[in-house]
Amino acid sequence: MATVSDITVSAAINSLSALLFLVAFAILRLQPVNDRVYFPKWYLKGIRENPTTAGPYVKKFLNLDVRMYLRFLNWVPAALRMPEPELIDHAGLDSAVYIRIYLLGLKIFVPIALLAFGVLLPVNYTGGNFNTMNDDMKDLAFGEIDKFSISNVPPASKRLIAHILMAYVFTFWTCYVLYKEYKIVTDMRLHFLASQKRRADQFTVLVRNVPSDPDESVSEHVDHFFRVNHPDQYFLHKVVHNANKLAQMVEQKKDLQNRLIYYTNKHERNPNKRPTTKAGFWGLWGKKIDAIDYYTQEIDKLSKEELAERERVIDDPKSVVPAAFVSFRSRWGAAVCAQTQQTRNPTRWLTDWAPEPRDVYWNNLAIPFVELNLRKLIMAVALFGLTFCFMVPIAIVQTLANIEYIGKVLPFLKPLINKGSVKSFIQGFLPGIVLKIFLLVLPMILMEMSKIEGYVAFSALEARSAGKYHLFLLVNVFFGSIITGTALQQLKEFLKQSPSQMPETVGVSIPMKATFFITYIMVDGWAGVAAEILRVVPLVIYHLKNIFLVKTEKDRDEAMDPGSLLWPITEPRLQLYFLLGLVYSTVTPILLPFIIVFFAFAYLVFRHQVINVYHQKYESAASYWPGVHHRILIGLIISQITLLGLLSTKEAANSTPLLLALPILTLWFHRFCKKRFESAFSKFPLQDAMIKDTLERATEPQLDLKAYLKDAYMHPVFKGGEVEMMDVEEGDDDHYLVATKRSSRRGSQAGTQEGSPEDRTGGVYAAV
């Protein structure tokens, strides 16, 4: 078990690492050559100028102004100076609310830490049960940290009343802060939507599972249906094409063009020598050939194939999938359609708000709707298998965290691991860094699983991936670390003792794991966050591109990689810190300062990144907040159940009825917040829609809405191509009868086979 000295060593290593990262960042950000790496957002907005041509810089690559180095920490107040309304205008509501999650952590845990240190820490430290634990449970290695935990309180002690009372106080405080924050974010969202500029998704719904019709194409069927059922509001539509193969060709062509630019630049630097490449895979093997001629020929060949594929996709009716983006004349009309059932059959003509054009994940629109449930079932099974298979590396990490057990199993390693510096490094630093490495690849796997499930918006993909990652961290990192760590330490004891004694061993191990989680917080939350602001990988990639590919200022702008908030990774990681803080607030309060340092430091770093670096890929108006609220409450309930289990091992069964009320109250609170606030994150009030429509008609009477919406939901591969898409079909105010190619089938066998009357408006004309 790690000692206080081990924790000190870990804190020193991670604090020094974080400090070095911050110093390196403070120096590198001042250099003109790195300006586009550390301030790309201002370049994208067209606000920032090239520092090589302005300011106090006397050389192209190096800043020699000594005064700026003396103020190298001025980025800290600059990150805090921008007020929240300005931050929302600058970076969007998604980014501003994301920053508030870190602030929420401080609002919850700073008061809890003050109470815990004032009440629980003295109660635990003076409990006097430490020696008894060491004598009774010799197979478990206790450390000095356990003197500050509930483990040091004797069984059946009246001191446990303090933990029960604090559990109630912490629960009510957490729920109060969550309620206030939910209300603030809801008001921010509604105000943002009300004051937001015109966007195409405000007028558009995504229609899926359009029923087939033998007489009409998908486009004609959609046009007919909405002319009849939304005669006053329907405006135009754009059907969805399966252009996945064409999109692959476009990406392949971009890759070839980048390679051609690279070799062209190389040839210009050395005109006497033609660059060569190999004809094999990625130019790694095969016959040597002239690189410029080869990639020029490949691009010409692929351009012809791309043009042919464009024509095929546009002309082939089979390339049209049963889905469409349908736009309306007003926000009110779109809201009515998106939030209502269109026909008697709830599985057809499914409508929902269209994602904003940047948010659409076009590849999944081609997936047949009937496959979606099967895909989700398969991925659920795969997630279950992946989650529990990952217990193996977690067990390895826990072995490193319990070095005394390694010495017992492998005695020949004792001389090495008993050395003070080696022991402190292994227990205080290595487990956290090994676990972080294991978790690096996981988000990419989970994102691919979410794509297979068929979600059609990047925001939905990221929200789903975040949910999977949260489940994974909950099962593996939290419960897995506790269970596998205990099993490794007490395997023989588990085999000998009766089943009734096992909960006691597991219960005792929960506070023991505080040392492991402290090291993990310092590695991931201190050094990891500091590494985020340094941006080593984007820095290296930018300079490589600058050396080999950049020829013009436009090329230099394209070489910038501002990145974005990696929501599927950062939000679940945040939830793990909330979980650890809530669980250990009553168990081992000494962990709380490490949590608070993380939230404060991360708030500062990510506020700087949002202001200066990250480029928002889409704007969902903080639609993810109900998930954040929900997962924090899951952590709160787990903390209550954990304390309940711990007290059962402390012979405090009489306290069980008192603590059982907490999860029940928390569930009631969740239900209350769900009814009170959640609808604001999934629906758009018709009153607000009408207000915005009325104001727009009054202020912009000459607005050409058709020109604004016409190409908003055109697949990106068709924009600017040699073959243009056909014009969208638009509703006509002057037509009171809607023409249809369908012949009358009233009473016919064909009409019976095709389904219910709401799917087939019979007759040559349908009255509107």
Side-chain angles (χ1 to χ4, degrees):
M1 175 60 62
T3 63
V4 173
S5 63
D6 297 333
I7 299 297
T8 304
V9 170
S10 178
I13 293 174
N14 288 286
S15 299
L16 182 61
S17 300
L19 181 61
L20 291 175
F21 287 145
L22 291 176
V23 171
F25 161 72
I27 295 173
L28 290 173
R29 67 185 283 270
L30 296 177
Q31 311 312 316
V33 71
N34 299 327
D35 203 59
R36 294 174 185 267
V37 177
Y38 294 111
F39 301 96
K41 190 160 195 169
W42 299 101
Y43 282 94
L44 293 174
K45 286 178 172 287
I47 297 174
R48 196 172 181 91
E49 294 181 357
N50 193 332
T52 59
T53 60
Y57 301 93
V58 297
K59 285 194 174 182
K60 183 177 181 180
F61 301 105
L62 187 63
N63 179 5
L64 298 181
D65 188 351
V66 179
R67 293 172 299 175
M68 295 193 70
Y69 289 97
L70 295 176
R71 301 192 302 268
F72 71 98
L73 289 178
N74 63 352
W75 67 271
V76 176
L80 299 174
R81 194 176 297 126
M82 183 179 286
E84 191 169 64
E86 186 178 340
L87 179 64
I88 293 173
D89 292 338
H90 174 69
L93 186 63
D94 281 343
S95 298
V97 171
Y98 173 80
I99 297 300
R100 291 190 66 91
I101 303 177
Y102 295 99
L103 198 59
L104 176 65
L106 293 174
K107 291 178 181 178
I108 291 175
F109 290 115
V110 169
I112 286 178
L114 293 175
L115 274 174
F117 270 68
V119 178
L120 295 182
L121 208 61
V123 170
N124 292 341
Y125 190 74
T126 59
N129 193 47
F130 186 71
N131 294 330
T132 305
M133 290 189 302
N134 280 325
D135 294 336
D136 294 344
M137 309 186 82
K138 295 181 180 180
D139 284 339
L140 285 175
F142 295 93
E144 297 174 15
I145 298 296
D146 293 296
K147 292 181 180 180
F148 300 95
S149 76
I150 196 174
S151 300
N152 200 30
V153 178
S157 173
K158 292 183 179 180
R159 293 169 177 261
L160 296 173
I161 296 175
H163 297 82
I164 297 172
L165 291 176
M166 287 298 101
Y168 270 89
V169 173
F170 296 165
T171 295
F172 285 130
W173 172 252
T174 302
C175 290
Y176 171 76
V177 175
L178 283 174
Y179 174 81
K180 297 289 288 185
E181 195 68 19
Y182 212 150
K183 188 176 186 304
I184 291 172
V185 174
T186 301
D187 292 341
M188 289 173 65
R189 172 180 167 85
L190 293 176
H191 180 266
F192 179 79
L193 292 175
S195 60
Q196 196 178 31
K197 296 179 180 179
R198 186 189 310 109
R199 292 196 332 186
D201 54 292
Q202 297 171 347
F203 298 86
T204 308
V205 300
L206 173 61
V207 183
R208 305 191 73 183
N209 210 22
V210 176
S212 60
D213 190 290
D215 296 320
E216 294 180 333
S217 66
V218 173
S219 180
E220 292 168 339
H221 200 184
V222 169
D223 183 65
H224 178 206
F225 180 86
F226 283 95
R227 283 176 185 259
V228 170
N229 295 287
H230 297 267
D232 298 324
Q233 292 295 326
Y234 167 64
F235 192 32
L236 53 85
H237 74 275
K238 178 82 70 175
V239 294
V240 177
H241 290 76
N242 184 353
N244 292 347
K245 183 178 179 181
L246 178 59
Q248 292 176 358
M249 289 182 174
V250 172
E251 289 300 317
Q252 185 180 356
K253 184 178 177 180
K254 287 182 180 179
D255 180 63
L256 293 175
Q257 288 172 336
N258 288 336
R259 292 172 181 270
L260 178 61
I261 291 172
Y262 167 74
Y263 285 111
T264 302
N265 292 346
K266 187 176 181 180
H267 180 58
E268 289 179 355
R269 286 192 294 269
N270 187 7
N272 297 325
K273 184 179 179 181
R274 296 280 293 185
T276 60
T277 187
K278 295 181 179 179
F281 177 73
W282 271 41
L284 298 177
W285 59 73
K287 181 182 177 182
K288 278 191 175 184
I289 53 178
D290 185 285
I292 296 177
D293 292 341
Y294 172 73
Y295 285 113
T296 302
Q297 294 171 4
E298 288 295 310
I299 291 172
D300 291 341
K301 177 182 176 183
L302 190 60
S303 296
K304 295 177 182 178
E305 294 176 359
E306 178 190 343
L307 182 60
E309 179 64 16
R310 284 178 184 271
E311 294 174 343
R312 187 198 68 80
V313 170
I314 293 172
D315 297 336
D316 187 2
K318 293 182 179 179
S319 70
V320 179
V321 301
F325 291 98
V326 179
S327 297
F328 294 81
R329 300 183 185 278
S330 66
R331 297 171 181 83
W332 185 90
V336 170
C337 182
Q339 297 166 182
T340 55
Q341 182 174 314
Q342 301 304 306
T343 68
R344 296 178 187 175
N345 187 343
T347 64
R348 293 183 174 183
W349 296 102
L350 301 179
T351 57
D352 199 358
W353 283 108
E356 69 160 314
R358 295 180 301 170
D359 194 17
V360 178
Y361 184 65
W362 294 94
N363 291 354
N364 280 358
L365 284 171
I367 298 175
F369 187 80
V370 293
E371 289 185 13
L372 295 181
N373 288 331
L374 178 61
R375 285 169 171 259
K376 291 177 182 178
L377 176 61
I378 294 173
M379 287 302 102
V381 174
L383 179 64
F384 179 84
L386 178 65
T387 300
F388 287 95
C389 287
F390 212 83
M391 285 290 184
V392 176
I394 295 295
I396 295 172
V397 170
Q398 287 303 319
T399 303
L400 294 173
N402 296 282
I403 202 167
E404 287 84 0
Y405 178 76
I406 299 176
K408 292 178 182 179
V409 176
L410 303 172
F412 63 90
L413 291 178
K414 275 189 175 182
L416 176 63
I417 63 178
N418 284 337
K419 290 183 179 181
S421 58
V422 175
K423 181 179 178 181
S424 297
F425 175 78
I426 292 177
Q427 291 199 147
F429 182 75
L430 196 59
I433 194 67
V434 171
L435 181 59
K436 186 169 179 62
I437 292 172
F438 277 132
L439 295 176
L440 283 177
V441 184
L442 182 65
M444 294 183 286
I445 299 174
L446 298 180
M447 176 58 77
E448 290 303 315
M449 293 174 66
S450 298
K451 290 179 179 178
I452 293 173
E453 286 180 316
Y455 294 96
V456 297
F458 285 106
S459 56
L461 288 171
E462 294 193 344
R464 182 62 178 167
S465 298
K468 291 186 179 75
Y469 196 27
H470 173 257
L471 175 65
F472 188 90
L473 292 177
L474 184 63
V475 173
N476 281 281
V477 177
F478 182 70
F479 288 115
S481 296
I482 292 171
I483 296 171
T484 58
T486 303
L488 284 169
Q489 294 177 75
Q490 271 204 305
L491 184 59
K492 294 180 181 178
E493 196 69 22
F494 271 132
L495 297 176
K496 292 179 182 178
Q497 66 186 193
S498 64
S500 62
Q501 293 175 298
M502 292 182 185
E504 180 179 355
T505 303
V506 177
V508 171
S509 74
I510 293 174
M512 289 175 57
K513 292 303 165 190
T515 53
F516 165 73
F517 288 123
I518 287 173
T519 61
Y520 176 76
I521 290 168
M522 288 187 289
V523 171
D524 182 70
W526 295 9
V529 171
E532 174 69 25
I533 201 171
L534 185 57
R535 307 195 76 222
V536 175
V537 175
L539 179 68
V540 172
I541 293 177
Y542 171 76
H543 286 302
L544 288 176
K545 289 181 177 179
N546 215 17
I547 292 171
F548 297 109
L549 298 178
V550 171
K551 295 178 63 178
T552 64
E553 284 298 316
K554 182 180 178 182
D555 295 336
R556 188 168 286 107
D557 288 338
E558 292 177 352
M560 290 190 305
D561 179 21
S564 61
L565 286 171
L566 298 177
W567 179 257
I569 302 174
T570 55
E571 195 271 341
R573 185 177 67 180
L574 268 172
Q575 294 296 342
L576 178 62
Y577 292 117
F578 277 105
L579 172 65
L580 294 177
L582 292 170
V583 167
Y584 283 97
S585 59
T586 52
V587 175
T588 311
I590 201 170
L591 178 138
L592 290 175
F594 299 92
I595 294 279
I596 292 172
V597 170
F598 160 75
F599 278 115
F601 185 39
Y603 173 76
L604 177 64
V605 167
F606 281 99
R607 208 173 200 275
H608 173 274
Q609 299 296 84
V610 163
I611 292 173
N612 297 298
V613 180
Y614 296 143
H615 178 63
Q616 201 168 355
K617 294 187 296 185
Y618 58 84
E619 176 60 64
S620 70
S623 62
Y624 56 77
W625 186 259
V628 174
H629 177 88
H630 174 68
R631 286 191 273 270
I632 294 176
L633 287 181
I634 289 176
L636 184 60
I637 292 174
I638 290 174
S639 71
Q640 296 158 355
I641 296 174
T642 300
L643 181 61
L644 190 65
L646 276 170
L647 292 180
S648 68
T649 68
K650 291 288 185 180
E651 301 176 12
N654 294 333
S655 65
T656 300
L658 293 174
L659 286 175
L660 279 176
L662 284 178
I664 295 173
L665 290 173
T666 305
L667 289 172
W668 174 86
F669 173 74
H670 170 63
R671 184 178 178 84
F672 170 77
C673 289
K674 185 180 179 70
K675 289 184 176 181
R676 173 67 177 84
F677 299 115
E678 192 166 313
S679 62
F681 292 84
S682 58
K683 298 178 181 178
F684 188 49
L686 294 180
Q687 182 184 29
D688 291 353
M690 181 61 74
I691 291 173
K692 286 185 71 69
D693 290 333
T694 304
L695 288 174
E696 188 171 76
R697 284 193 292 267
T699 56
E700 299 181 71
Q702 303 301 322
L703 173 66
D704 186 357
L705 190 60
K706 180 183 178 182
Y708 179 74
L709 296 173
K710 178 181 176 182
D711 295 332
Y713 285 95
M714 178 183 290
H715 197 297
V717 297
F718 293 119
K719 293 181 178 179
E722 296 179 36
V723 179
E724 296 293 338
M725 295 289 290
M726 293 179 63
D727 215 0
V728 291
E729 296 189 44
E730 180 186 1
D732 191 343
D733 289 335
D734 297 331
H735 288 182
Y736 295 92
L737 294 177
V738 179
T740 175
K741 296 180 180 178
R742 183 183 303 127
S743 59
S744 177
R745 289 189 176 86
R746 187 171 299 171
S748 69
Q749 185 179 1
T752 304
Q753 290 175 345
E754 288 301 319
S756 56
E758 73 273 9
D759 294 331
R760 305 189 54 78
T761 304
V764 179
Y765 292 98
V768 177

